[in-house]
Amino acid sequence: INTGSCNGCDIEVLAIQSPRYSVERFGVLRVGSPRHADILVVTGPVTKRMTDPLTSIYDQIPHPKAVVAVGSCPTSNGIFDGGYSLTGPLDTVLPVDVYVMGCPPRPLNIVAGILKAAKMLDSKRKGKGGRSSERFDEAMAKETDVELKFQSSDNVTEAEK
Protein backbone atom coordinates (compact mmCIF):
# COMPACT_ATOMS: atom_id res chain seq x y z
CA ILE A 1 0.00 0.00 0.00
CA ASN A 2 1.25 3.45 -0.87
CA THR A 3 0.83 5.77 2.12
CA GLY A 4 2.00 8.97 0.46
CA SER A 5 5.20 8.27 -1.46
CA CYS A 6 6.66 9.59 -4.70
CA ASN A 7 5.88 6.22 -6.38
CA GLY A 8 9.57 5.32 -6.83
CA CYS A 9 9.29 2.33 -4.48
CA ASP A 10 5.95 1.31 -6.00
CA ILE A 11 7.58 0.97 -9.42
CA GLU A 12 10.26 -1.28 -7.92
CA VAL A 13 7.62 -3.39 -6.13
CA LEU A 14 5.85 -3.87 -9.47
CA ALA A 15 9.18 -4.82 -11.08
CA ILE A 16 9.57 -7.87 -8.82
CA GLN A 17 6.50 -9.38 -10.44
CA SER A 18 8.02 -9.17 -13.91
CA PRO A 19 9.58 -12.21 -15.58
CA ARG A 20 13.06 -10.84 -14.84
CA TYR A 21 12.64 -11.26 -11.06
CA SER A 22 9.65 -13.65 -11.08
CA VAL A 23 8.75 -13.48 -7.41
CA GLU A 24 5.85 -15.85 -8.07
CA ARG A 25 8.28 -18.78 -8.12
CA PHE A 26 8.47 -18.35 -4.34
CA GLY A 27 4.69 -18.39 -3.99
CA VAL A 28 4.43 -14.61 -3.58
CA LEU A 29 1.24 -13.33 -5.18
CA ARG A 30 -0.61 -10.02 -5.15
CA VAL A 31 -4.13 -10.35 -3.84
CA GLY A 32 -7.11 -8.07 -4.24
CA SER A 33 -8.21 -8.13 -0.62
CA PRO A 34 -6.30 -7.80 2.65
CA ARG A 35 -8.37 -10.72 3.94
CA HIS A 36 -6.42 -13.00 1.59
CA ALA A 37 -2.98 -11.53 2.43
CA ASP A 38 -0.24 -12.65 4.78
CA ILE A 39 2.23 -9.81 4.26
CA LEU A 40 1.53 -6.09 3.98
CA VAL A 41 4.09 -4.20 1.87
CA VAL A 42 4.07 -0.48 2.68
CA THR A 43 5.77 2.31 0.73
CA GLY A 44 5.96 5.99 1.57
CA PRO A 45 5.72 8.08 4.71
CA VAL A 46 2.47 7.72 6.63
CA THR A 47 0.35 10.80 6.04
CA LYS A 48 -2.41 11.89 8.40
CA ARG A 49 -4.97 11.09 5.71
CA MET A 50 -3.69 7.50 5.30
CA THR A 51 -3.33 6.58 8.99
CA ASP A 52 -6.90 5.33 9.46
CA PRO A 53 -7.14 3.43 6.14
CA LEU A 54 -3.73 1.84 6.82
CA THR A 55 -4.72 0.59 10.26
CA SER A 56 -8.04 -0.63 8.86
CA ILE A 57 -6.27 -2.64 6.15
CA TYR A 58 -3.80 -4.02 8.72
CA ASP A 59 -6.67 -5.13 10.97
CA GLN A 60 -8.31 -7.00 8.07
CA ILE A 61 -5.25 -9.22 7.49
CA PRO A 62 -5.64 -12.54 9.33
CA HIS A 63 -3.11 -13.64 11.94
CA PRO A 64 -0.23 -14.38 11.69
CA LYS A 65 0.77 -11.42 9.56
CA ALA A 66 3.87 -9.43 8.74
CA VAL A 67 4.60 -5.87 7.64
CA VAL A 68 7.43 -5.00 5.25
CA ALA A 69 8.50 -1.34 5.08
CA VAL A 70 9.93 -0.68 1.61
CA GLY A 71 12.18 2.34 1.14
CA SER A 72 13.51 5.14 3.29
CA CYS A 73 10.18 6.92 3.67
CA PRO A 74 8.33 4.40 5.87
CA THR A 75 11.46 4.09 8.01
CA SER A 76 12.33 7.75 8.57
CA ASN A 77 9.95 9.80 6.38
CA GLY A 78 12.84 10.22 3.91
CA ILE A 79 12.82 13.48 1.99
CA PHE A 80 9.38 14.29 3.36
CA ASP A 81 10.63 14.50 6.97
CA GLY A 82 9.23 17.50 8.79
CA GLY A 83 6.19 17.75 6.54
CA TYR A 84 3.04 19.10 8.15
CA SER A 85 0.87 16.30 6.76
CA LEU A 86 2.85 13.37 8.17
CA THR A 87 1.89 11.18 11.09
CA GLY A 88 5.41 9.83 11.35
CA PRO A 89 7.39 6.78 10.33
CA LEU A 90 5.47 3.54 9.79
CA ASP A 91 6.59 1.97 13.05
CA THR A 92 4.71 4.65 15.00
CA VAL A 93 1.46 3.38 13.43
CA LEU A 94 2.01 -0.37 12.85
CA PRO A 95 4.50 -2.97 14.08
CA VAL A 96 7.10 -3.45 11.33
CA ASP A 97 8.74 -6.86 10.87
CA VAL A 98 11.17 -6.21 8.00
CA TYR A 99 12.78 -3.01 6.74
CA VAL A 100 14.03 -2.76 3.13
CA MET A 101 16.24 0.31 2.89
CA GLY A 102 16.95 2.41 -0.18
CA CYS A 103 15.52 5.30 -2.11
CA PRO A 104 14.22 3.46 -4.02
CA PRO A 105 15.45 0.02 -2.98
CA ARG A 106 16.60 -2.44 -5.61
CA PRO A 107 14.05 -5.07 -6.61
CA LEU A 108 16.27 -7.90 -5.34
CA ASN A 109 16.37 -6.29 -1.91
CA ILE A 110 12.57 -6.11 -1.91
CA VAL A 111 12.39 -9.80 -2.85
CA ALA A 112 14.82 -10.63 -0.04
CA GLY A 113 12.74 -8.61 2.45
CA ILE A 114 9.49 -10.29 1.45
CA LEU A 115 11.12 -13.73 1.67
CA LYS A 116 12.49 -12.86 5.11
CA ALA A 117 8.97 -11.92 6.21
CA ALA A 118 7.63 -15.16 4.70
CA LYS A 119 10.18 -17.18 6.67
CA MET A 120 9.13 -15.36 9.85
CA LEU A 121 5.48 -16.17 9.13
CA ASP A 122 6.35 -19.79 8.41
CA SER A 123 8.11 -20.14 11.75
CA LYS A 124 5.15 -18.49 13.52
CA ARG A 125 2.78 -20.97 11.90
CA LYS A 126 4.94 -23.95 12.79
CA GLY A 127 5.29 -22.65 16.35
CA LYS A 128 1.50 -22.55 16.71
CA GLY A 129 1.18 -26.10 15.45
CA GLY A 130 0.12 -24.87 12.05
CA ARG A 131 1.22 -26.33 8.77
CA SER A 132 3.38 -24.40 6.32
CA SER A 133 2.60 -24.24 2.65
CA GLU A 134 4.15 -27.02 0.55
CA ARG A 135 4.73 -24.57 -2.28
CA PHE A 136 6.69 -22.27 0.03
CA ASP A 137 8.75 -25.18 1.41
CA GLU A 138 9.55 -26.30 -2.15
CA ALA A 139 10.63 -22.82 -3.21
CA MET A 140 12.80 -22.37 -0.12
CA ALA A 141 14.45 -25.75 -0.66
CA LYS A 142 15.46 -24.68 -4.17
CA GLU A 143 16.57 -21.22 -3.09
CA THR A 144 18.21 -21.72 0.29
CA ASP A 145 20.16 -18.50 -0.02
CA VAL A 146 18.08 -15.35 -0.25
CA GLU A 147 20.85 -13.61 -2.21
CA LEU A 148 19.51 -13.99 -5.72
CA LYS A 149 21.79 -13.56 -8.70
CA PHE A 150 20.71 -11.95 -11.94
CA GLN A 151 22.83 -10.84 -14.85
CA SER A 152 22.88 -7.09 -15.16
CA SER A 153 22.25 -5.70 -18.63
CA ASP A 154 25.28 -3.44 -18.03
CA ASN A 155 27.63 -6.44 -18.18
CA VAL A 156 26.23 -8.04 -21.33
CA THR A 157 28.56 -7.99 -24.32
CA GLU A 158 27.41 -7.14 -27.84
CA ALA A 159 27.80 -10.81 -28.89
CA GLU A 160 25.37 -11.93 -26.13
CA LYS A 161 22.73 -9.38 -27.14
Side-chain angles (χ1 to χ4, degrees), residues 26-27 115 118-120 122 132-141:
F26 299 111
L115 292 179
K119 284 184 179 180
M120 290 171 57
D122 194 48
S132 66
S133 161
E134 290 177 25
R135 186 173 182 188
F136 177 75
D137 289 340
E138 258 180 47
M140 288 296 110

